[in-house]
Amino acid sequence: MDKDVPALYDAAMKEHGFRAVDEPTYDLVSVKKDEGFVATATTALQPELKLTKTTGFTSQCVTPEVTDKEIDNVLEHRRQASAELVPHKGPAVKGNVVHMDFEGLLDGVAFKGGTAKDQSVQLGSGRMIPGFEDGILGHKAGDEFEINVTFPQNYPNKELAGKPVVFKIKLHDVCVRQLPALNSDFAKKMGKETMEEYRAFVKQQLFDGRHGGALNHAKDMILGQLADAAEGEIPSILVENAYQQQMQVIQQQLQMQRMSLDRYLSQIHQTRENFTANVHAAAEKNTRARMALLQVAQQENLVPTDEEMTAKMQERADKLKKPLEEIMAKSNVESIRRNEAIRRAADWVIEHSTIEEK
């Protein structure tokens, strides 16, 4: 079945002139020794939309102004990043950076992960377990001493959680973070002659970043207008797939922030029903835009040819240093062709529309 059905499916699609826009699912209906097998293939076909408009859309690219305070914040951040560590002979205080060797002992025996050489720590950063950094305060470079701390009850290593331990410390140096002055020397270090030039450079950097985001938003608005101008039904499976993919992306982003969906919804004051309805509506509009763009690509001869696809796959094969035949066999060439056609059509629609700069 794995060998014969896909080939039969491809032949049937060509025979009937069907255009699939999703991957087929196969089901084996029956198998008879003398008659062979009966199987079905189910896939979403490209809808025939009525495009009431494909050009002449308008949107605004609104780029927020960059303020002096924002420039100052960037300069201070880069100034902090350029700080130099200068050793001093006084006792360690919060904010100092120290370099040290340490060995952790549990019941007089060194434990795994408790030993380090030439470790750098900024005191007061909270990077180490509670009590460790405070135990270094007041000591000077060259001191050797012990500190007694207790691992937190919720420490990931259960063998150490809640246990009192002793750390033997050898302090190599105590350093002060010396910040550079925001003057011409700092500007030259950053590649400019004067601070006025460097401020202007930072302002342009901030503006370019904001302008890029604003321009992408304006382009999305144009494609949204194209979706609104596309009348007709969209295969529900495509909308559902887009919805599930977007919900998965949202869940992954929340997991990276160690936040549950319910907690996030409470912060933005939305119910789960309203939130999922909005995501589903966005998925439907995005899918409608993609299907409209695919139709535009076909109307404007923007769909990649077989020769162009072969060249594209050859580039991929060269990059991966594998034979073209292997790459072609492992790739969904038609899906790649559709995505490229949609990308070209998006560029075409935007080029034939107007974006007003604000």
Side-chain angles (χ1 to χ4, degrees):
M1 182 173 171
D2 291 341
K3 176 183 176 183
D4 294 335
V5 171
L8 293 170
Y9 163 80
D10 291 338
M13 294 294 285
K14 291 179 181 178
E15 178 184 348
H16 294 282
F18 292 150
R19 290 174 172 170
V21 288
D22 199 12
E23 290 304 296
T25 56
Y26 302 120
D27 287 304
L28 187 61
V29 178
S30 65
V31 179
K32 295 182 179 180
K33 184 176 180 181
D34 298 329
E35 299 178 16
F37 63 84
V38 176
T40 62
T42 306
T43 190
L45 299 181
Q46 182 181 342
E48 294 185 10
L49 301 175
K50 180 183 178 183
L51 302 181
T52 60
K53 186 177 181 180
T54 59
T55 61
F57 301 108
T58 61
S59 69
Q60 291 186 343
C61 176
V62 183
T63 307
E65 183 180 356
V66 177
T67 65
D68 287 338
K69 183 177 180 180
E70 290 168 332
I71 298 173
D72 291 340
N73 289 339
V74 172
L75 292 177
E76 182 59 26
H77 177 76
R78 295 180 182 179
R79 178 174 177 244
Q80 292 287 339
S82 299
E84 295 182 357
L85 295 180
V86 179
H88 79 111
K89 297 180 180 180
V93 298
K94 285 188 176 181
N96 288 161
V97 175
V98 299
H99 295 88
M100 61 185 164
D101 299 338
F102 62 78
E103 181 184 30
L105 303 175
L106 174 62
D107 297 329
V109 180
F111 56 85
K112 186 177 180 180
T115 301
K117 295 288 187 181
D118 199 28
Q119 185 77 21
S120 175
V121 176
Q122 182 171 0
L123 302 181
S125 65
R127 175 184 164 192
M128 310 299 283
I129 63 172
F132 188 99
E133 295 171 25
D134 289 343
I136 299 173
L137 299 176
H139 289 281
K140 299 179 180 180
D143 286 356
E144 295 188 28
F145 53 95
E146 295 181 355
I147 57 176
N148 296 284
V149 296
T150 300
F151 276 92
Q153 291 289 347
N154 61 349
Y155 193 70
N157 186 337
K158 300 305 180 183
E159 295 180 359
L160 295 174
K163 300 290 182 63
V165 296
V166 176
F167 279 97
K168 292 184 176 181
I169 309 289
K170 181 177 181 180
L171 205 58
H172 295 306
D173 59 30
V174 176
C175 299
V176 176
R177 296 180 72 251
Q178 192 173 75
L179 296 174
L182 293 177
N183 53 26
S184 58
D185 290 336
F186 181 79
K188 289 176 181 177
K189 185 178 179 180
M190 296 297 174
K192 300 298 177 183
E193 288 298 316
T194 64
M195 277 304 298
E196 289 74 17
E197 289 182 18
Y198 188 56
R199 285 187 67 89
F201 174 74
V202 170
K203 182 176 183 179
Q204 190 64 47
Q205 281 185 316
L206 292 173
F207 177 83
D208 289 345
R210 291 182 178 182
H211 181 261
L215 185 59
N216 287 336
H217 179 71
K219 292 177 180 179
D220 288 341
M221 292 300 99
I222 287 177
L223 299 182
Q225 293 173 46
L226 174 67
D228 293 337
E231 300 175 357
E233 292 189 12
I234 301 293
S236 59
I237 186 63
L238 294 183
V239 177
E240 183 62 23
N241 287 344
Y243 166 75
Q244 293 295 342
Q245 290 172 2
Q246 185 57 37
M247 286 299 296
Q248 187 175 10
V249 169
I250 292 170
Q251 292 281 12
Q252 290 173 347
Q253 291 174 340
L254 291 175
Q255 286 176 4
M256 291 176 64
Q257 300 175 37
R258 297 182 179 180
M259 182 181 297
S260 67
L261 179 58
D262 288 335
R263 181 182 171 192
Y264 172 69
L265 293 177
S266 68
Q267 290 185 356
I268 63 175
H269 306 293
Q270 275 199 32
T271 64
R272 182 179 286 265
E273 291 74 17
N274 287 340
F275 180 76
T276 55
N278 290 336
V279 175
H280 199 278
E284 195 280 336
K285 189 164 188 175
N286 182 56
T287 303
R288 184 173 294 276
R290 285 178 60 82
M291 292 299 99
L293 288 169
L294 185 58
Q295 199 162 311
V296 169
Q298 291 157 355
Q299 293 174 358
E300 301 299 329
N301 296 318
L302 299 172
V303 180
T305 64
D306 290 341
E307 292 76 13
E308 289 174 323
M309 289 305 300
T310 299
K312 188 177 186 67
M313 301 309 291
Q314 184 64 62
E315 289 180 7
R316 183 175 297 186
D318 293 341
K319 185 176 181 179
L320 297 174
K321 297 181 180 179
K322 293 185 177 181
L324 174 62
E325 294 75 15
E326 180 181 343
I327 297 298
M328 294 285 281
K330 293 182 178 180
S331 301
N332 188 330
V333 177
E334 289 309 308
S335 176
I336 297 172
R337 190 197 304 268
R338 282 197 303 272
N339 288 335
E340 178 63 16
I342 289 170
R343 186 195 66 78
R344 291 181 181 184
D347 289 343
W348 185 89
V349 171
I350 291 167
E351 287 171 4
H352 290 79
S353 299
T354 302
I355 296 177
E356 299 175 358
E357 294 277 356
K358 293 289 184 178

